[in-house]
Amino acid sequence: MGFLIDLACFLFVPVICWRLVRGAVPMAVLPILTGLAVAIAADRFGFDKSVLGPSKWGETIGWVGVLILAFIAGLETRITANSGPRSGSRVATTALVGVALPFAVGFVVILSGAMNMVLAQPAGVSSLLSASAIGLCLAVSALPVLVGIVRELPMEDRPLGNLSLRIAALDDAILWIGLAALLFLHKGETDSLFAGGLPQAGAIAVFAAMIAVRRRFVDRLPDHILISGALGIAYLAAGTWATSMLGLHELLGAYFAGMLAPRQLAEHLHPEALGKLALFGLSPLFFAHRGLSIDGAVVTAEALGVALALLLLAGLSKVAAVHIAPPVADMQMTERTRLGLLLQCKGLMEIVAATILVQAGLITPTVFAVLVTLALISTTLTVPLFRSVSRARAMQRKPAR
């Protein structure tokens, strides 16, 4: 019964809402908003939100769905690799600047104490560590939610969307390395960073094998659904295991596994159809449960105001970073802005990072609520802002009559 209630509240309701708004809000956002609304209502009206979810099966299904979304994003990048410019070093530079600038802005603002009434540091935590934790969250780009947003973009915008996924994947890799460093500095747990040399070596070997195999199976892979499905599952499992052994998030492993898959395998897996199944039939449960986990009592007017202020700082600095270091040398200014608007999407990665930080004691529950609110607003505004700039660009390109 619990699983059925979970499905009704956090899968069927978001899908129905998406149909009612006709796609105006990304499907990846609506489940989070649904879960957060239940959490706030539970606090205001005093009922037990756990009766609605999450269920064990619902959590498992949702996790599988979001892993598939990240894997499909990597597959699409592989398929469209030849349609875009080859600018790997510039993409890495964009990712680095795109993390460094928002982090620096957030770090300075938090360290100045301008928002201490809401963003107070936890007792016993260095102000430098606390400011670094919040700055890191402001710098992140949301890989899994961005996957869903890119999935819903028009086909003519898909190459730019796939480029944003490449940058977001690097951003998130930097995020998880930064999180590991913060936890190490906070707790002094050197074992978590340097233990387990053999599994880490094995993880590197897995990625090396993926690269080697990709070059051998250019024209030799049979187009059979069972073979393709088995290979797809193997790549997904290997990628998630490898990144977990390296101390990174499994979602990054899923993305890189898709990106390193043979091109023929990527085409045989039919990512368009598989992505729709994951986006509408599986992953909403995962996103909704993240919203449900928030304590509704800490969502106040003051927290909302600080979240909006931080959103403005983080969004402007992310867009500015793309203008300063574009991934393509001759990229037009409008395209830089559109790419920056996609990358400012915080989504699930900030929520996951904030969860780790609050559990470690590096941020308070109030700061956690502010960061989650920021992530939701940022993600909700991503598509409307992107469409507004796209319409303005289309109007400029129209010949005058």
Side-chain angles (χ1 to χ4, degrees):
M1 179 61 71
F3 174 54
L4 295 178
I5 294 174
D6 196 4
L7 283 180
C9 294
F10 302 123
L11 179 61
F12 299 147
V13 169
V15 171
I16 292 171
C17 290
W18 183 84
R19 293 295 300 269
L20 291 175
V21 300
R22 300 185 180 183
V25 179
M27 182 58 202
V29 173
L30 288 170
I32 304 177
L33 292 176
T34 303
L36 180 60
V38 172
I40 295 173
D43 173 73
R44 302 298 189 268
F45 299 106
F47 66 87
D48 183 9
K49 63 183 181 181
S50 65
V51 300
L52 301 180
S55 64
K56 181 179 178 181
W57 277 104
E59 186 71 5
T60 301
I61 291 172
W63 176 239
V64 170
V66 81
L67 281 176
I68 293 175
L69 279 180
F71 182 59
I72 292 302
L75 293 178
E76 288 197 331
T77 300
R78 179 70 178 130
I79 292 173
T80 61
N82 296 329
S83 63
R86 297 183 179 274
S87 51
S89 62
R90 294 191 65 93
V91 168
T93 301
T94 303
L96 287 172
V97 177
V99 170
L101 186 57
F103 173 83
V105 170
F107 180 82
V108 170
V109 169
I110 301 305
L111 203 60
S112 70
M115 301 180 181
N116 272 359
M117 290 186 64
V118 175
L119 303 181
Q121 68 190 61
V125 176
S126 162
S127 58
L128 293 177
L129 284 180
S130 181
S132 297
I134 296 174
L136 199 61
C137 287
L138 297 185
V140 69
S141 296
L143 177 61
V145 173
L146 195 56
V147 169
I149 290 175
V150 171
R151 165 80 38 203
E152 297 178 50
L153 289 178
M155 288 305 299
E156 62 268 19
D157 292 329
R158 197 67 64 84
L160 184 68
N162 285 329
L163 178 59
S164 73
L165 293 176
R166 292 175 60 192
I167 298 171
L170 294 174
D171 281 357
D172 285 350
I174 297 171
L175 166 72
W176 291 105
I177 293 171
L179 282 173
L182 280 176
L183 294 175
F184 169 67
L185 292 172
H186 179 52
K187 298 181 179 179
E189 295 178 348
T190 54
D191 289 344
S192 63
L193 291 177
F194 303 111
L198 187 59
Q200 291 172 0
I204 295 173
V206 165
F207 282 122
M210 286 183 178
I211 296 173
V213 169
R214 179 175 67 170
R215 295 173 179 173
R216 291 179 177 271
F217 285 137
V218 176
D219 298 313
R220 304 178 186 178
L221 197 61
D223 186 6
H224 191 284
I225 186 170
L226 293 179
I227 296 177
S228 298
L231 285 174
I233 293 173
Y235 263 82
L236 178 57
T240 55
W241 175 84
T243 49
S244 67
M245 290 299 100
L246 293 172
L248 300 174
H249 200 274
E250 289 90 345
L251 290 172
L252 288 172
Y255 176 82
F256 287 127
M259 192 171 65
L260 293 174
R263 182 184 175 88
Q264 275 197 331
L265 175 61
E267 294 172 345
H268 294 170
L269 288 173
H270 305 290
E272 186 74 23
L274 189 58
K276 287 182 178 178
L277 171 64
L279 180 64
F280 291 93
L282 302 174
S283 64
L285 289 165
F286 182 84
F287 293 127
H289 294 163
R290 304 290 77 75
L292 186 66
S293 67
I294 298 170
D295 182 3
V298 298
V299 182
T300 63
E302 292 80 4
L304 179 59
V306 172
L308 291 173
L310 291 179
L311 172 62
L312 184 62
L313 291 173
L316 289 176
S317 57
K318 182 70 78 170
V319 174
V322 178
H323 278 268
I324 293 170
V328 181
D330 58 350
M331 177 175 275
Q332 296 179 356
M333 301 299 287
T334 305
E335 291 299 278
R336 298 184 193 190
T337 300
R338 295 205 308 151
L339 179 59
L341 289 174
L342 289 176
L343 292 174
Q344 67 78 37
C345 178
K346 302 301 177 192
L348 183 62
M349 280 296 97
E350 180 170 319
I351 295 174
V352 172
T355 301
I356 294 172
L357 292 170
V358 74
Q359 290 174 348
L362 279 165
I363 60 175
T364 65
T366 301
V367 174
F368 174 74
V370 167
L371 293 175
V372 170
T373 303
L374 185 159
L376 292 175
I377 298 173
S378 165
T379 308
T380 303
L381 291 177
T382 296
V383 171
L385 290 174
F386 182 83
R387 287 175 176 172
S388 296
V389 176
S390 299
R391 282 195 296 267
R393 183 192 63 162
M395 292 295 294
Q396 292 176 353
R397 290 183 175 182
K398 275 187 178 181
R401 292 186 178 180

